[in-house]
Amino acid sequence: MPKNSKERVLISGNWKMNQNHFEALKLIQELATLLHSVNAISVLPESTKVSIHPPFTSLRTVQTAVESDHVPVFLGAQTCHYLDKGAYTGEVSAEMLAKLGVQYVIAGHSERRQYCYETDDIVRKKVDAILKHGMYPILCVGETLEERQSGQAKQKVKDQLDQIFFSRNESEARNIVIAYEPIWAIGTGETASSADAELMCGYIRGEIASLFDDNLAEEILIQYGGSVNEGNAVELLHQDNINGLLVGGASLDAKKFVDICCADASV
Ligand code: PGA
């Protein structure tokens, strides 16, 4: 990978609890067709990487399709357990995901923090497990509307970052992708303005610089997420500190998602 993070872009499609394995197969095939045609006309920039995060039940189906059709996407997961194995009914470990060829795993998505009571401590253990098994964590951070309105947004994000990056070695830190996702913008149709998103992503980069150094902060990938669509992707990617997008709803529509993936070409 090139050194400067601005030369690299990661667009991630988080399918959440959507797409049974039949639907997942159809969607990945549609994506394959579109991405192949896009590649053929060289619109998808070479520096843009794409990851797809289906539910666990569709991972194997998507993995097989990606491999057999040479779809230019990396396999991703939405979460994992932090232990390798054991009596944890219903859980899936990072080790199991790595064996399936998963490369990116979302950690600490606000929906999991809210509905599954995941604390920063749990998220840190998940990040450790994902790194241990050679995958890239996509660490989600972000504030609620209340926190933003009361001027607490930066402090909230700083606290979340500190919990994950504190006393972590540099080689691990540089493999963590950070997704800034203001909670009030997720699934609401309300996007942070590109200026607000840039401000917070710049703040995040500054925090990483103060925890490590400028070089590492330059290298780290920072995504924005929250109601990204094919209309706002270009402007968001135009910002200096935004290296990618974490896309929920719009990633369920192959055409919209591929348009978002190609947005960096127009930057
Ligand atoms: P959204 O979801 O694009 O539907 O707002 C983003 C996310 O939760 O990652």
Side-chain angles (χ1 to χ4, degrees):
M1 291 186 190
K3 268 219 152 208
N4 184 341
S5 60
K6 269 322 274 180
E7 293 164 30
R8 302 181 283 141
V9 168
L10 174 67
I11 310 288
S12 303
N14 175 11
W15 292 1
K16 305 194 180 183
M17 197 172 70
N18 295 293
Q19 310 301 99
N20 63 42
H21 75 284
F22 295 112
E23 294 162 340
L25 183 60
K26 186 164 170 278
L27 183 51
I28 193 67
Q29 284 169 343
E30 285 169 11
L31 280 172
T33 308
L34 288 167
L35 284 170
H36 281 312
S37 67
V38 159
N39 266 349
I41 53 166
S42 307
V43 176
L44 186 66
E46 218 195 291
S47 55
T48 296
K49 297 202 173 353
V50 178
S51 65
I52 299 291
H53 302 249
F56 289 141
T57 50
S58 300
L59 272 176
R60 182 77 171 130
T61 306
V62 171
Q63 180 231 23
T64 309
V66 164
E67 279 178 9
S68 63
D69 292 352
H70 305 289
V71 191
V73 303
F74 292 97
L75 194 60
Q78 299 174 18
T79 185
C80 65
H81 197 275
Y82 53 82
L83 294 173
D84 287 351
K85 49 173 66 90
Y88 297 94
T89 304
E91 296 290 348
V92 171
S93 70
E95 184 188 34
M96 294 166 178
L97 296 175
K99 279 274 182 307
L100 256 184
V102 167
Q103 302 233 32
Y104 292 89
V105 185
I106 299 172
H109 191 283
S110 62
E111 286 153 11
R112 296 208 54 93
R113 292 178 191 259
Q114 183 182 351
Y115 304 127
C116 306
Y117 311 106
E118 286 186 8
T119 60
D120 284 324
D121 185 45
I122 293 175
V123 176
R124 183 176 173 113
K125 289 181 183 154
K126 291 187 180 206
V127 167
D128 291 345
I130 296 162
L131 289 167
K132 175 178 140 193
H133 290 287
M135 300 177 290
Y136 299 97
I138 299 181
L139 167 72
C140 298
V141 296
E143 79 286 357
T144 62
L145 187 56
E146 224 175 36
E147 287 160 343
R148 170 155 287 254
Q149 285 170 343
S150 61
Q152 299 297 306
K154 283 185 178 166
Q155 189 59 47
K156 167 76 175 292
V157 168
K158 178 181 170 5
D159 290 347
Q160 290 178 322
L161 291 173
D162 285 351
Q163 295 275 349
I164 304 303
F165 284 94
F166 179 71
S167 77
R168 189 174 288 287
N169 69 46
E170 291 195 5
S171 59
E172 283 187 348
R174 61 168 51 84
N175 285 331
I176 300 175
V177 178
I178 301 170
Y180 168 55
E181 297 210 301
I183 295 168
W184 48 271
I186 296 177
T188 56
E190 233 183 281
T191 330
S193 70
S194 48
D196 279 349
E198 164 63 9
L199 211 64
M200 188 61 96
C201 292
Y203 174 75
I204 290 171
R205 207 176 292 285
E207 276 304 301
I208 298 299
S210 67
L211 286 168
F212 299 94
D213 57 37
D214 286 351
N215 284 344
L216 198 144
E218 263 295 297
E219 276 181 55
I220 212 153
L221 287 184
I222 304 178
Q223 296 179 313
Y224 166 80
S227 297
V228 171
N229 58 44
E230 66 290 13
N232 56 29
V234 173
E235 201 183 322
L236 286 162
L237 286 174
H238 204 321
Q239 308 304 312
D240 282 349
N241 284 294
I242 299 181
N243 310 110
L245 303 166
L246 181 51
V247 188
S251 71
L252 298 173
D253 180 308
K255 170 80 175 71
K256 286 183 186 168
F257 187 62
V258 171
D259 283 351
I260 293 169
C261 293
C262 296
D264 195 45
S266 15
V267 172

